[in-house]
Amino acid sequence: MSKTISGFSKLSKSEKIDWIVSSCFSNASYAKGILKQYWNTDEQLQQLHDEFIENTITNYYLPLGVAPNFLINEKMYTIPMAIEESSVVAAASKAAKFWLDRGGFKARVISTKKIGQVHFMFYGEFEALKRFFDIVKPKLIAGARHITANMEKRGGGIFDIELRDKTNDIKGYYQLHASFETLDAMGANFINSCLEQFAQTFKKEAFNFEAFTDEERQIDIVMSILSNYVPECLVRAEVSCPVENLSENASISGEAFAKKFVQAVNIAEVEPYRAVTHNKGIMNGVDAVVLATGNDFRAIEAGVHAYASRNGKYSSLSHAEIKDGIFRFWMDIPLALGTIGGLTGLHPLVKLSLELLHQPSAKELMQIVAVAGLAQNFAALRSLTTTGIQQGHMKMHLLNILNQFGANDKEKQTLTEHFKSTPVTHGAVVEALNKLRN
C-alpha cells in the first residue's frame, strides 16, 4: 500500500522516482530500471515529454502504425494510428484496400459549430432577465473582442449567444449558451476564455441594471466551460458500390453479403447491447488517429457516445442500405478536432503524423478520422457476417500470446507458420509452444 506524502509535485524527477520505488514496490531496483528503460536518450526530447503533464516519471509507449491505401475524396492517404489493440491497423488497412478498387471513401463536413456555456443562478422574474439579456448581449460580444479579434480575422469567432431557461430542471438555473467557430484549432482555450469574459461582463452589467431589484442583481455564476457535446460539429463518411461488386470469393455472393451486412447494422440500430460494441469498433479507428494527431480522444469519446444517445436510446452511429442495386454504408459523427495548438506543435510524432496526412486543415482531419472509423466498422462487420470475428483477431493476437510466454524468434516463426492453417486460441498456442519446446 502506498504511503502518504505532501509536496510531491515540488520534488525533482529523480526524487519522485526514489520515493515511488521505495514506497510502492517490493523490488525497488527492478521498478526503477523499468521506469528508466522508457526514458528517451535525447535529454531535450525527454524534457519536452516531462513537461506535458505534472509528476512525470517515465514515458508510456503505444505503437504508432500506419494504414495505407486510403482513397478519400479522390486523394490518397496513409493514415497514422496510435493504438495497442492487435487487429485494428490490419483491419483498417484491409478495408482501405477493399474500397480502393470500388471508388474509395467519400467524406464531407456538415457543420463545424462548437458550444460553450455560462451556467448561472437567478431567482428573479424571467421577463426581467430576458430584457436584461437582450440589452447586454452586444456588450458580451464586444467585451470579448480582445480575445476574438485574431480568430475573427481568420473567419472564426462567436456565432451567437442565447439565454436558456433551465428552471424546469433546477430552480433558478439558467445558461448563456454560446456557439463558436474555431477553424483549425480545437478551440478549448479560446472558448473557455470567451466564456469567462462573458461571465464577468454579465455579472458586472447585472449589478448596474436599473430594472433589477437588489436581489436580482446578485446573479450567481456557477461555472463557465465549453461542452464536449458537439452535435453540430458533424462530418459524414460513406462508401457505396453495386451489390455484385461486394463479392471477393465464391463462398458468399455480393447480394447475400450485402443483405447480411445491412441486417447486422439494423440490429445495432435497435439493440443497445450490440450498439455499444458496434460503436466501440468505430472508435477503435477514430481514437487511434485522434491520438496520433495529438487531439483529445477522451473528449471525442464522450461527445460521440452522447450523440449516439441523442434520440433517447443508445444506437448505432453507422447505417447501411441496399437501394436500386447499390450498397451504401455511411456514418455521421461529431468530431471537434484541431491541427494547430496543443500537442500538434509540440510532440514530434504528432507533427510527423500531420505531415504524413499532407498537413490537413481541421475540416480535412475530421474527414480522415471519420473515414478511419467507418473503415474499422466495415472490417469488423465484414468479419462478423462471414468468417466470424475471432479468426482474424486471434491470428493478430498470436504474437502477443507468444511474447507473453517468452517465445524466441525461431519459435515465433515456427508457430506463426503452424497457425496459418490451425484455429488460434490461447490454449492451443500454449499447448503448441510447450510441445515445440519439449
Side-chain angles (χ1 to χ4, degrees):
M1 181 180 293
S2 296
K3 301 174 184 177
T4 59
I5 183 173
S6 59
F8 182 76
S9 64
K10 295 180 175 63
L11 299 178
S12 68
K13 182 178 178 180
S14 61
E15 288 170 335
K16 289 186 180 87
I17 291 172
D18 286 341
W19 180 84
I20 286 169
V21 298
S22 63
S23 302
C24 306
F25 295 94
S26 57
N27 188 334
S29 61
Y30 171 77
K32 193 169 187 176
I34 292 293
L35 293 175
K36 286 191 173 183
Q37 183 180 344
Y38 284 89
W39 288 4
N40 200 294
T41 53
D42 183 328
E43 290 184 9
Q44 189 174 4
L45 184 60
Q46 183 56 55
Q47 184 179 351
L48 176 67
H49 282 72
D50 287 348
E51 293 174 355
F52 284 156
I53 61 171
E54 193 174 69
N55 296 340
T56 306
I57 57 173
T58 192
N59 306 311
Y60 185 91
Y61 292 166
L62 285 176
L64 178 66
V66 295
N69 298 318
F70 270 93
L71 179 62
I72 305 173
N73 295 336
E74 305 303 323
K75 186 175 180 180
M76 289 298 302
Y77 291 90
T78 297
I79 297 182
M81 305 180 82
I83 193 167
E84 85 300 339
E85 189 167 331
S86 304
S87 56
V88 169
V89 177
S93 301
K94 197 170 182 180
K97 189 67 166 63
F98 180 92
W99 285 105
L100 178 63
D101 301 325
R102 294 164 176 82
F105 294 82
K106 302 291 185 290
R108 65 182 177 90
V109 173
I110 297 171
S111 57
T112 56
K113 187 184 293 185
K114 297 167 187 174
I115 300 298
Q117 297 166 319
V118 177
H119 305 267
F120 67 95
M121 310 305 288
F122 176 83
Y123 298 101
E125 294 294 326
F126 173 71
E127 287 304 319
L129 179 64
K130 180 67 169 63
R131 287 198 302 275
F132 168 65
F133 172 75
D134 290 341
I135 292 170
V136 82
K137 180 178 174 179
K139 295 181 180 180
L140 298 177
I141 295 171
R145 194 74 69 196
H146 64 288
I147 301 169
T148 62
N150 287 334
M151 186 70 78
E152 287 174 354
K153 286 178 185 176
R154 302 197 301 271
I158 303 164
F159 274 135
D160 194 17
I161 308 173
E162 305 171 34
L163 174 65
R164 293 197 170 181
D165 182 350
K166 306 292 288 184
T167 54
N168 285 337
D169 299 316
I170 300 175
K171 183 180 178 182
Y173 170 39
Y174 295 88
Q175 298 172 356
L176 297 180
H177 186 91
S179 52
F180 301 86
E181 170 59 69
T182 62
L183 303 170
D184 285 337
M186 188 275 167
N189 291 331
F190 170 77
I191 292 171
N192 287 335
S193 296
C194 288
L195 294 171
E196 290 182 0
Q197 182 61 56
F198 293 164
Q200 288 180 24
T201 304
F202 197 68
K203 193 172 178 68
K204 177 184 175 183
E205 293 294 330
F207 189 78
N208 297 318
F209 189 54
E210 293 182 355
F212 276 165
T213 64
D214 288 343
E215 183 183 8
E216 287 172 334
R217 289 191 181 97
Q218 304 305 314
I219 287 177
D220 179 18
I221 304 294
V222 179
M223 55 185 168
S224 307
I225 186 71
L226 88 163
S227 173
N228 290 127
Y229 183 43
V230 285
E232 293 181 274
C233 188
L234 209 60
V235 57
R236 172 171 293 181
E238 63 181 293
V239 287
S240 63
C241 72
V243 166
E244 60 268 21
N245 290 356
L246 289 171
S247 179
E248 276 197 305
N249 53 62
S251 63
I252 186 170
S253 69
E255 184 178 3
F257 168 72
K259 286 181 178 178
K260 206 169 185 183
F261 190 100
V262 170
Q263 286 171 340
V265 175
N266 290 344
I267 289 169
E269 288 175 332
V270 301
E271 172 50 65
Y273 280 91
R274 172 59 199 142
V276 170
T277 310
H278 178 94
N279 290 345
K280 185 267 181 187
I282 292 171
M283 300 313 292
N284 278 343
V286 168
D287 285 349
V289 188
V290 169
L291 193 57
T293 56
N295 280 273
D296 186 346
F297 73 91
R298 286 90 48 195
I300 296 299
E301 283 275 351
V304 165
H305 294 303
Y307 185 77
S309 306
R310 68 193 181 282
N311 295 321
K313 181 180 179 180
Y314 191 89
S315 182
S316 168
L317 291 161
S318 61
H319 311 280
E321 67 177 11
I322 303 166
K323 189 174 181 180
D324 298 328
I326 302 295
F327 168 82
R328 179 170 171 253
F329 180 49
W330 76 98
M331 173 179 69
D332 294 344
I333 186 171
L335 295 172
L337 300 173
T339 55
I340 60 173
L343 285 185
T344 59
L346 289 175
H347 198 300
L349 284 176
V350 169
K351 290 193 280 188
L352 200 71
S353 292
L354 291 171
E355 186 175 349
L356 179 65
L357 293 172
H358 320 302
Q359 301 294 2
S361 66
K363 285 185 177 180
E364 288 169 333
L365 184 58
M366 287 171 68
Q367 294 173 61
I368 293 165
V369 171
V371 163
L374 190 72
Q376 202 67 40
N377 195 211
F378 177 81
L381 289 172
R382 187 174 172 220
S383 292
L384 280 169
T385 55
T386 53
T387 60
I389 199 74
Q390 284 301 89
Q391 183 182 36
H393 180 77
M394 290 306 293
K395 281 191 181 296
M396 291 303 302
H397 194 49
L398 173 61
L399 279 179
N400 286 348
I401 301 172
L402 292 174
N403 284 329
Q404 182 184 345
F405 288 92
N408 60 37
D409 289 343
K410 186 175 181 181
E411 289 169 335
K412 289 177 185 177
Q413 185 177 356
T414 300
L415 292 179
T416 298
E417 189 64 31
H418 169 73
F419 281 104
K420 282 183 178 179
S421 57
T422 303
V424 178
T425 67
H426 188 277
V429 174
V430 173
E431 183 181 349
L433 181 59
N434 289 334
K435 186 177 179 180
L436 183 63
R437 286 173 172 176
N438 292 332

